Amino acid sequence: MVTILSLWLPILVAAVLVFIVSSIIHTLLPYHRSDFGPVPDEGAVRAGLSGVPPGDYVVPHAASNEERRTEEFKAKIEEGPVAFMTVLPRGQLTMGASLVQWFLYCVLVGVFAAYLAGRTLGPGAEYLTVFRFSGTVAFAGYGLALLQNSIWLGRRWSSTLKSVFDALVYALLTAGAFGWLWPG
C-alpha cells in the first residue's frame, strides 16, 4: 500500500500537466470551435431571455409528473422548441474562478487516482501497471460522466465525444505522471 501523502507530487504534476494541455486544447486547437452554434435571430432570443436570472432551465417546463402527462404539455413538446439551457450572470465573462475550479478538479481526480492506485499497488510497482491503473481511474473521473450530456440533455454526440477524447488525453497525462513519479 502507498499512502496518498506519498503521492502528492504525482497528483500535483498531473494536475499541472492537465491544466496546461487543456488550456492549449481549448485556446489553440480548433476542434472545439463547432461545439456551440448561433441561434437564429439572436437579438430576439436575447431580448426574450433578458429577465431570466442566472440558473439552469428547461423549456417547456412541467412542475410535476401530472402536468407532464397533460395534453397541453405534450402539445408544447410537439410544437417546440425544447431546450435545456444555463443562463450566466450578466457582465464580463471572467475565467479566473473557472480556471481555479478546473485546477482544483484536476487535483481531485489525481487524489482519487492516488487513493485507488495506492490501495491496490505497492511501492516499486512497475511503470506500466501504475500507468494502466491510474489512467483508468483518471479517465473515469474526467470522461465518463460527460456521456450523460448527450444521453439526457440532447447534446450532440460529436461535441460530447470530442470532450471524451480530451478526457483520454488528460488521463494519459495523469497516468504518465503517476507512472514516472511512483514511489520505489
Side-chain angles (χ1 to χ4, degrees):
M1 182 173 95
V2 176
T3 66
I4 288 181
L5 288 178
S6 66
L7 295 172
W8 68 269
L9 186 58
I11 291 169
L12 288 179
V13 167
V16 168
L17 289 172
V18 169
F19 187 86
I20 291 169
V21 170
S22 69
S23 296
I24 292 168
I25 286 172
H26 288 281
T27 58
L28 298 179
L29 300 180
Y31 67 94
H32 278 291
R33 291 190 189 134
S34 63
D35 288 354
F36 294 94
V39 294
D41 197 1
E42 182 179 321
V45 172
R46 290 180 60 239
L49 294 173
S50 67
V52 178
D56 295 317
Y57 300 95
V58 61
V59 175
H61 180 264
S64 66
N65 283 332
E66 291 77 27
E67 185 180 344
R68 199 171 283 112
R69 288 190 285 268
T70 66
E71 292 305 317
E72 181 183 354
F73 183 77
K74 290 177 184 176
K76 289 179 184 178
I77 293 289
E78 287 299 318
E79 180 183 302
V82 177
F84 295 96
M85 64 181 179
T86 300
V87 176
L88 302 175
R90 281 192 268 172
Q92 289 288 74
L93 287 175
T94 57
M95 297 295 290
S98 295
L99 290 171
V100 168
Q101 291 174 51
W102 172 240
F103 182 76
L104 293 174
Y105 180 74
C106 293
V107 170
L108 182 64
V109 170
V111 167
F112 273 90
Y115 174 75
L116 290 173
R119 300 292 291 173
T120 306
L121 307 172
E126 291 182 11
Y127 174 89
L128 194 54
T129 302
V130 174
F131 184 95
R132 281 192 296 242
F133 198 91
S134 60
T136 300
V137 174
F139 179 73
Y142 285 118
L144 293 180
L146 297 171
L147 300 172
Q148 296 178 57
N149 292 330
S150 290
I151 294 168
W152 294 108
L153 301 178
R155 188 162 190 206
R156 289 182 313 205
W157 278 102
S158 61
S159 296
T160 295
L161 292 176
K162 286 186 273 185
S163 293
V164 170
F165 173 77
D166 296 347
L168 177 62
V169 171
Y170 307 156
L172 293 172
L173 290 167
T174 301
F178 273 76
W180 170 43
L181 298 168
W182 192 258

Coordinates of all heavy atoms in Angstrom, one line a residue, residues 9-84:
L9 N 3.3 14.5 -5.1 CA 4.0 15.0 -6.2 C 3.3 14.6 -7.5 O 3.0 15.4 -8.4 CB 5.5 14.7 -6.2 CG 6.3 15.3 -7.3 CD1 6.3 16.8 -7.3 CD2 7.8 14.8 -7.2
P10 N 3.0 13.3 -7.7 CA 2.3 12.9 -9.0 C 1.0 13.6 -9.1 O 0.5 13.9 -10.2 CB 2.3 11.4 -9.0 CG 2.7 11.0 -7.6 CD 3.4 12.1 -7.0
I11 N 0.3 13.8 -8.0 CA -1.1 14.4 -8.0 C -0.9 15.8 -8.6 O -1.6 16.2 -9.5 CB -1.7 14.4 -6.6 CG1 -2.1 13.0 -6.2 CG2 -2.9 15.4 -6.6 CD1 -2.5 12.9 -4.7
L12 N 0.1 16.6 -8.0 CA 0.2 18.0 -8.5 C 0.8 18.1 -9.9 O 0.4 18.9 -10.7 CB 1.1 18.7 -7.5 CG 0.4 19.0 -6.1 CD1 1.4 19.8 -5.2 CD2 -0.9 19.8 -6.4
V13 N 1.8 17.2 -10.2 CA 2.3 17.2 -11.5 C 1.3 16.9 -12.6 O 1.2 17.6 -13.6 CB 3.6 16.3 -11.6 CG1 4.0 16.1 -13.1 CG2 4.7 16.8 -10.8
A14 N 0.5 15.9 -12.3 CA -0.6 15.5 -13.2 C -1.6 16.7 -13.4 O -2.0 17.0 -14.5 CB -1.3 14.3 -12.7
A15 N -2.0 17.3 -12.3 CA -2.9 18.5 -12.3 C -2.3 19.6 -13.2 O -3.1 20.2 -14.0 CB -3.3 18.9 -10.9
V16 N -1.1 19.9 -13.0 CA -0.5 21.0 -13.8 C -0.4 20.6 -15.2 O -0.7 21.4 -16.1 CB 0.9 21.3 -13.2 CG1 1.7 22.2 -14.1 CG2 0.8 22.0 -11.8
L17 N 0.0 19.4 -15.5 CA 0.1 19.0 -17.0 C -1.3 19.0 -17.6 O -1.5 19.5 -18.7 CB 0.6 17.5 -17.1 CG 2.1 17.4 -16.8 CD1 2.5 15.9 -16.7 CD2 2.9 18.1 -17.8
V18 N -2.3 18.5 -16.9 CA -3.7 18.5 -17.5 C -4.2 20.0 -17.7 O -4.8 20.3 -18.7 CB -4.7 17.7 -16.6 CG1 -6.1 18.0 -17.0 CG2 -4.3 16.2 -16.7
F19 N -3.9 20.8 -16.7 CA -4.3 22.2 -16.8 C -3.7 22.9 -18.0 O -4.3 23.6 -18.8 CB -3.9 22.9 -15.5 CG -4.4 24.3 -15.4 CD1 -5.7 24.6 -14.9 CD2 -3.6 25.4 -15.8 CE1 -6.1 25.9 -14.8 CE2 -4.1 26.7 -15.7 CZ -5.3 27.0 -15.2
I20 N -2.4 22.7 -18.2 CA -1.7 23.3 -19.3 C -2.2 22.8 -20.7 O -2.5 23.5 -21.6 CB -0.2 23.1 -19.2 CG1 0.4 23.9 -18.0 CG2 0.6 23.5 -20.5 CD1 1.8 23.6 -17.6
V21 N -2.3 21.4 -20.8 CA -2.7 20.8 -22.0 C -4.2 21.2 -22.3 O -4.5 21.5 -23.5 CB -2.5 19.3 -22.0 CG1 -3.1 18.6 -23.2 CG2 -1.0 19.0 -22.0
S22 N -5.0 21.2 -21.3 CA -6.4 21.6 -21.6 C -6.5 23.1 -22.0 O -7.3 23.4 -22.9 CB -7.3 21.4 -20.3 OG -7.0 22.3 -19.3
S23 N -5.6 23.9 -21.5 CA -5.6 25.3 -22.0 C -5.2 25.4 -23.4 O -5.8 26.2 -24.2 CB -4.6 26.1 -21.1 OG -5.1 26.2 -19.8
I24 N -4.2 24.6 -23.8 CA -3.8 24.5 -25.2 C -4.9 24.0 -26.1 O -5.2 24.6 -27.2 CB -2.5 23.7 -25.3 CG1 -1.3 24.4 -24.7 CG2 -2.2 23.4 -26.8 CD1 -0.1 23.5 -24.5
I25 N -5.6 22.9 -25.7 CA -6.6 22.3 -26.4 C -7.8 23.4 -26.7 O -8.3 23.5 -27.8 CB -7.2 21.1 -25.7 CG1 -6.2 19.9 -25.9 CG2 -8.6 20.7 -26.3 CD1 -6.6 18.7 -25.1
H26 N -8.1 24.1 -25.7 CA -9.3 25.0 -25.8 C -9.0 26.4 -26.3 O -9.9 27.1 -26.7 CB -10.0 25.1 -24.5 CG -10.8 23.8 -24.2 ND1 -12.0 23.5 -24.7 CD2 -10.4 22.7 -23.4 CE1 -12.3 22.3 -24.3 NE2 -11.4 21.8 -23.5
T27 N -7.7 26.7 -26.4 CA -7.4 28.1 -26.9 C -6.7 28.0 -28.3 O -6.9 28.9 -29.1 CB -6.5 28.9 -25.9 OG1 -5.3 28.1 -25.7 CG2 -7.2 29.2 -24.6
L28 N -5.9 27.0 -28.5 CA -5.1 27.0 -29.8 C -5.6 26.0 -30.8 O -5.5 26.2 -32.0 CB -3.7 26.6 -29.5 CG -2.9 27.6 -28.6 CD1 -1.5 27.2 -28.3 CD2 -2.9 29.0 -29.2
L29 N -6.2 24.8 -30.4 CA -6.7 23.8 -31.3 C -8.1 24.1 -31.7 O -8.9 24.6 -30.9 CB -6.6 22.5 -30.7 CG -5.1 22.0 -30.3 CD1 -5.2 20.6 -29.7 CD2 -4.2 22.1 -31.4
P30 N -8.4 24.0 -33.0 CA -9.7 24.4 -33.5 C -10.9 23.4 -33.3 O -12.0 23.8 -33.6 CB -9.5 24.6 -35.0 CG -8.4 23.6 -35.3 CD -7.5 23.5 -34.1
Y31 N -10.7 22.2 -32.8 CA -11.7 21.2 -32.9 C -12.9 21.4 -32.0 O -14.0 20.8 -32.2 CB -11.2 19.8 -32.9 CG -10.6 19.3 -31.6 CD1 -11.4 18.7 -30.6 CD2 -9.3 19.5 -31.3 CE1 -10.8 18.2 -29.4 CE2 -8.7 19.1 -30.1 CZ -9.5 18.4 -29.2 OH -8.9 17.9 -28.0
H32 N -12.8 22.3 -31.0 CA -14.0 22.6 -30.1 C -14.8 23.8 -30.6 O -15.8 24.1 -30.0 CB -13.5 22.8 -28.7 CG -13.3 21.5 -27.9 ND1 -14.4 20.6 -27.6 CD2 -12.2 20.9 -27.5 CE1 -13.9 19.6 -27.0 NE2 -12.6 19.7 -26.9
R33 N -14.3 24.5 -31.6 CA -15.0 25.7 -32.0 C -16.4 25.5 -32.5 O -17.2 26.4 -32.6 CB -14.1 26.5 -33.0 CG -12.9 27.0 -32.4 CD -12.1 27.9 -33.2 NE -10.8 28.2 -32.6 CZ -9.6 28.2 -33.1 NH1 -9.6 28.0 -34.4 NH2 -8.5 28.4 -32.5
S34 N -16.7 24.3 -33.0 CA -18.0 24.0 -33.5 C -18.9 23.4 -32.5 O -20.1 23.0 -32.8 CB -17.9 23.0 -34.7 OG -17.3 21.8 -34.3
D35 N -18.5 23.3 -31.2 CA -19.4 22.7 -30.2 C -20.7 23.5 -30.0 O -21.7 22.9 -29.6 CB -18.6 22.6 -28.9 CG -17.6 21.5 -28.9 OD1 -17.5 20.8 -29.9 OD2 -16.8 21.4 -27.9
F36 N -20.7 24.8 -30.1 CA -21.9 25.6 -29.9 C -22.0 26.5 -31.1 O -21.1 27.1 -31.6 CB -21.7 26.5 -28.7 CG -21.6 25.8 -27.4 CD1 -20.4 25.4 -26.8 CD2 -22.8 25.4 -26.7 CE1 -20.4 24.7 -25.7 CE2 -22.8 24.7 -25.5 CZ -21.5 24.3 -25.0
G37 N -23.3 26.6 -31.6 CA -23.6 27.4 -32.8 C -24.5 28.6 -32.4 O -25.0 28.6 -31.3
P38 N -24.7 29.5 -33.3 CA -25.6 30.6 -33.1 C -27.0 30.2 -33.2 O -27.4 29.2 -33.8 CB -25.2 31.6 -34.2 CG -24.8 30.7 -35.3 CD -24.1 29.5 -34.7
V39 N -27.9 31.0 -32.5 CA -29.3 30.8 -32.7 C -29.8 31.7 -33.8 O -29.3 32.8 -33.9 CB -30.1 31.0 -31.4 CG1 -29.8 30.0 -30.3 CG2 -29.9 32.4 -30.8
P40 N -30.9 31.3 -34.5 CA -31.5 32.3 -35.4 C -32.0 33.5 -34.7 O -32.6 33.4 -33.6 CB -32.6 31.5 -36.1 CG -32.3 30.0 -35.8 CD -31.5 30.0 -34.5
D41 N -31.9 34.6 -35.3 CA -32.4 35.9 -34.7 C -31.9 36.1 -33.3 O -32.7 36.2 -32.3 CB -33.9 36.0 -34.8 CG -34.4 37.4 -34.6 OD1 -33.6 38.3 -34.4 OD2 -35.6 37.6 -34.7
E42 N -30.6 36.1 -33.1 CA -30.0 36.2 -31.7 C -30.6 37.4 -30.9 O -30.8 37.2 -29.7 CB -28.5 36.3 -31.8 CG -27.8 36.3 -30.5 CD -26.3 36.4 -30.5 OE1 -25.7 35.7 -31.4 OE2 -25.7 37.1 -29.7
G43 N -30.8 38.5 -31.6 CA -31.3 39.6 -30.9 C -32.7 39.4 -30.2 O -32.9 39.8 -29.1
A44 N -33.5 38.7 -31.0 CA -34.9 38.4 -30.4 C -34.8 37.4 -29.3 O -35.5 37.5 -28.3 CB -35.8 37.9 -31.5
V45 N -33.9 36.4 -29.4 CA -33.7 35.4 -28.3 C -33.1 36.1 -27.1 O -33.6 35.9 -26.0 CB -32.8 34.3 -28.8 CG1 -32.4 33.4 -27.6 CG2 -33.4 33.5 -29.9
R46 N -32.1 37.0 -27.3 CA -31.5 37.7 -26.1 C -32.6 38.6 -25.5 O -32.7 38.6 -24.2 CB -30.4 38.5 -26.6 CG -29.2 37.7 -27.0 CD -27.9 38.5 -27.4 NE -27.5 39.3 -26.3 CZ -27.4 40.7 -26.5 NH1 -27.8 41.3 -27.6 NH2 -27.0 41.4 -25.4
A47 N -33.4 39.2 -26.3 CA -34.5 40.1 -25.7 C -35.5 39.3 -24.9 O -35.9 39.6 -23.8 CB -35.2 40.9 -26.8
G48 N -35.8 38.1 -25.4 CA -36.7 37.2 -24.7 C -36.2 36.6 -23.4 O -36.9 36.3 -22.5
L49 N -34.9 36.5 -23.3 CA -34.3 35.9 -22.1 C -33.8 37.0 -21.2 O -33.2 36.7 -20.1 CB -33.1 35.0 -22.6 CG -33.4 33.8 -23.3 CD1 -32.1 33.1 -23.8 CD2 -34.3 32.8 -22.5
S50 N -33.9 38.3 -21.5 CA -33.3 39.4 -20.8 C -33.7 39.4 -19.3 O -32.9 39.8 -18.5 CB -33.6 40.7 -21.4 OG -34.9 41.0 -21.3
G51 N -34.8 39.0 -18.9 CA -35.2 39.0 -17.5 C -35.0 37.7 -16.7 O -35.3 37.6 -15.5
V52 N -34.4 36.7 -17.4 CA -34.2 35.4 -16.8 C -33.0 35.5 -15.9 O -31.9 35.8 -16.4 CB -34.0 34.3 -17.8 CG1 -33.8 32.9 -17.2 CG2 -35.3 34.2 -18.7
P53 N -33.1 35.2 -14.6 CA -31.9 35.2 -13.7 C -31.0 34.0 -14.0 O -31.4 33.0 -14.6 CB -32.5 35.1 -12.3 CG -33.9 34.5 -12.5 CD -34.3 34.8 -13.9
P54 N -29.7 34.1 -13.6 CA -28.8 33.0 -13.8 C -29.3 31.7 -13.2 O -30.0 31.7 -12.1 CB -27.5 33.5 -13.0 CG -27.6 35.0 -13.0 CD -29.1 35.3 -12.9
G55 N -29.1 30.6 -13.9 CA -29.6 29.3 -13.4 C -29.7 28.3 -14.6 O -29.4 28.7 -15.7
D56 N -30.2 27.2 -14.2 CA -30.4 26.1 -15.2 C -31.9 26.0 -15.5 O -32.7 26.0 -14.5 CB -29.9 24.8 -14.7 CG -28.4 24.8 -14.6 OD1 -27.7 25.3 -15.5 OD2 -27.9 24.3 -13.5
Y57 N -32.3 25.9 -16.7 CA -33.7 25.9 -17.1 C -34.0 24.8 -18.2 O -33.1 24.4 -18.9 CB -34.1 27.2 -17.7 CG -33.9 28.4 -16.7 CD1 -32.7 29.1 -16.7 CD2 -34.9 28.7 -15.7 CE1 -32.5 30.1 -15.8 CE2 -34.7 29.7 -14.8 CZ -33.5 30.4 -14.8 OH -33.3 31.4 -13.9
V58 N -35.3 24.5 -18.3 CA -35.8 23.6 -19.3 C -37.1 24.3 -19.9 O -37.9 24.9 -19.1 CB -36.1 22.2 -18.8 CG1 -37.2 22.1 -17.8 CG2 -36.5 21.3 -20.0
V59 N -37.2 24.2 -21.2 CA -38.4 24.8 -21.9 C -38.9 23.7 -22.8 O -38.1 23.2 -23.6 CB -38.0 26.1 -22.7 CG1 -39.1 26.6 -23.5 CG2 -37.4 27.1 -21.8
P60 N -40.1 23.4 -22.8 CA -41.1 23.8 -21.8 C -40.9 23.1 -20.5 O -40.2 22.1 -20.4 CB -42.5 23.3 -22.4 CG -42.1 22.2 -23.4 CD -40.7 22.5 -23.8
H61 N -41.4 23.7 -19.4 CA -41.2 23.2 -18.1 C -42.5 22.6 -17.5 O -43.6 23.2 -17.7 CB -40.7 24.3 -17.1 CG -40.5 23.9 -15.7 ND1 -41.5 24.0 -14.8 CD2 -39.5 23.2 -15.2 CE1 -41.0 23.5 -13.6 NE2 -39.8 23.0 -13.9
A62 N -42.5 21.5 -16.9 CA -43.6 20.9 -16.2 C -43.2 20.8 -14.7 O -42.2 20.3 -14.4 CB -43.9 19.5 -16.8
A63 N -44.1 21.3 -13.9 CA -43.8 21.3 -12.4 C -44.0 19.9 -11.8 O -43.5 19.7 -10.7 CB -44.7 22.3 -11.7
S64 N -44.7 19.0 -12.4 CA -44.9 17.7 -11.8 C -45.1 16.7 -12.9 O -45.3 17.0 -14.1 CB -46.2 17.8 -11.0 OG -47.3 18.0 -11.8
N65 N -45.1 15.4 -12.5 CA -45.4 14.3 -13.5 C -46.8 14.4 -14.0 O -47.0 14.1 -15.2 CB -45.1 13.0 -12.9 CG -43.6 12.7 -12.7 OD1 -42.8 13.1 -13.5 ND2 -43.3 11.9 -11.7
E66 N -47.7 14.9 -13.2 CA -49.1 15.0 -13.6 C -49.2 16.0 -14.8 O -49.9 15.8 -15.8 CB -50.0 15.4 -12.5 CG -50.2 14.3 -11.4 CD -49.0 14.2 -10.5 OE1 -48.2 15.1 -10.2 OE2 -48.8 13.0 -10.0
E67 N -48.5 17.2 -14.6 CA -48.5 18.2 -15.6 C -47.8 17.7 -16.9 O -48.3 18.0 -18.0 CB -47.8 19.5 -15.1 CG -47.9 20.6 -16.1 CD -47.2 21.9 -15.6 OE1 -46.9 22.0 -14.4 OE2 -46.9 22.8 -16.5
R68 N -46.8 16.9 -16.7 CA -46.1 16.4 -17.9 C -47.0 15.5 -18.7 O -46.8 15.3 -19.9 CB -44.8 15.6 -17.4 CG -43.8 15.3 -18.4 CD -42.5 14.8 -17.9 NE -41.7 15.8 -17.2 CZ -41.5 15.9 -15.9 NH1 -42.0 14.9 -15.1 NH2 -40.9 16.8 -15.3
R69 N -48.0 14.9 -18.1 CA -48.9 14.0 -18.9 C -50.1 14.7 -19.5 O -50.9 14.1 -20.2 CB -49.4 12.9 -17.9 CG -48.3 11.9 -17.6 CD -48.9 10.7 -16.8 NE -49.2 11.0 -15.4 CZ -48.4 10.8 -14.4 NH1 -47.2 10.3 -14.6 NH2 -48.8 11.1 -13.2
T70 N -50.2 16.0 -19.3 CA -51.4 16.7 -19.8 C -51.2 16.9 -21.3 O -50.1 16.9 -21.9 CB -51.5 18.1 -19.2 OG1 -50.4 18.9 -19.5 CG2 -51.7 18.0 -17.6
E71 N -52.3 17.1 -22.0 CA -52.3 17.3 -23.4 C -51.7 18.6 -23.8 O -51.0 18.8 -24.8 CB -53.7 17.2 -24.0 CG -54.3 15.8 -24.0 CD -53.5 14.8 -24.7 OE1 -52.9 15.0 -25.8 OE2 -53.3 13.7 -24.1
E72 N -51.9 19.6 -22.9 CA -51.3 20.9 -23.1 C -49.7 20.9 -23.1 O -49.1 21.4 -24.0 CB -51.7 21.9 -22.0 CG -51.2 23.3 -22.2 CD -51.6 24.3 -21.1 OE1 -52.4 23.9 -20.2 OE2 -51.1 25.4 -21.1
F73 N -49.2 20.1 -22.2 CA -47.7 20.0 -22.1 C -47.2 19.2 -23.3 O -46.2 19.6 -23.9 CB -47.3 19.3 -20.8 CG -45.8 19.3 -20.7 CD1 -45.0 20.4 -20.4 CD2 -45.1 18.1 -20.9 CE1 -43.6 20.3 -20.3 CE2 -43.7 18.0 -20.8 CZ -43.0 19.1 -20.5
K74 N -47.9 18.1 -23.6 CA -47.5 17.3 -24.8 C -47.5 18.1 -26.1 O -46.6 18.0 -26.9 CB -48.4 16.1 -24.9 CG -48.2 15.1 -23.8 CD -49.2 13.9 -24.0 CE -49.0 12.9 -22.8 NZ -50.0 11.8 -22.9
A75 N -48.5 19.0 -26.2 CA -48.6 19.9 -27.4 C -47.4 20.9 -27.4 O -46.8 21.1 -28.5 CB -49.9 20.7 -27.4
K76 N -47.0 21.4 -26.2 CA -45.8 22.3 -26.2 C -44.5 21.5 -26.6 O -43.7 22.1 -27.4 CB -45.6 22.8 -24.8 CG -46.6 23.8 -24.3 CD -46.3 24.2 -22.9 CE -47.3 25.1 -22.3 NZ -47.0 25.5 -20.9
I77 N -44.4 20.3 -26.2 CA -43.2 19.5 -26.7 C -43.3 19.3 -28.2 O -42.2 19.4 -28.8 CB -43.2 18.1 -25.9 CG1 -43.0 18.3 -24.4 CG2 -42.2 17.1 -26.5 CD1 -41.5 18.7 -24.1
E78 N -44.4 18.9 -28.7 CA -44.5 18.7 -30.1 C -44.3 20.0 -30.9 O -43.6 20.0 -32.0 CB -45.9 18.1 -30.5 CG -46.1 16.7 -30.1 CD -45.2 15.8 -30.8 OE1 -44.9 15.9 -32.0 OE2 -44.6 14.9 -30.1
E79 N -44.8 21.1 -30.4 CA -44.6 22.4 -31.1 C -43.2 22.9 -31.1 O -42.7 23.4 -32.0 CB -45.6 23.4 -30.4 CG -45.5 24.8 -31.0 CD -46.4 25.7 -30.3 OE1 -47.6 25.4 -30.2 OE2 -45.9 26.7 -29.8
G80 N -42.5 22.6 -29.9 CA -41.1 23.1 -29.8 C -41.1 24.6 -29.6 O -42.1 25.3 -29.7
P81 N -39.9 25.1 -29.4 CA -38.7 24.4 -29.2 C -38.6 23.8 -27.8 O -39.3 24.2 -26.9 CB -37.6 25.5 -29.3 CG -38.3 26.7 -28.9 CD -39.7 26.6 -29.3
V82 N -37.7 22.7 -27.7 CA -37.4 22.1 -26.5 C -36.0 22.4 -26.2 O -35.1 22.2 -27.0 CB -37.6 20.6 -26.5 CG1 -37.2 19.9 -25.2 CG2 -39.1 20.2 -26.9
A83 N -35.7 23.0 -25.0 CA -34.3 23.4 -24.7 C -33.9 23.2 -23.3 O -34.8 23.3 -22.4 CB -34.2 24.9 -25.0
F84 N -32.7 22.8 -23.1 CA -32.1 22.8 -21.8 C -31.0 23.9 -21.9 O -30.3 24.0 -22.8 CB -31.3 21.5 -21.5 CG -32.3 20.3 -21.3 CD1 -32.5 19.5 -22.4 CD2 -32.9 20.1 -20.1 CE1 -33.3 18.4 -22.3 CE2 -33.8 19.0 -20.0 CZ -34.0 18.2 -21.1

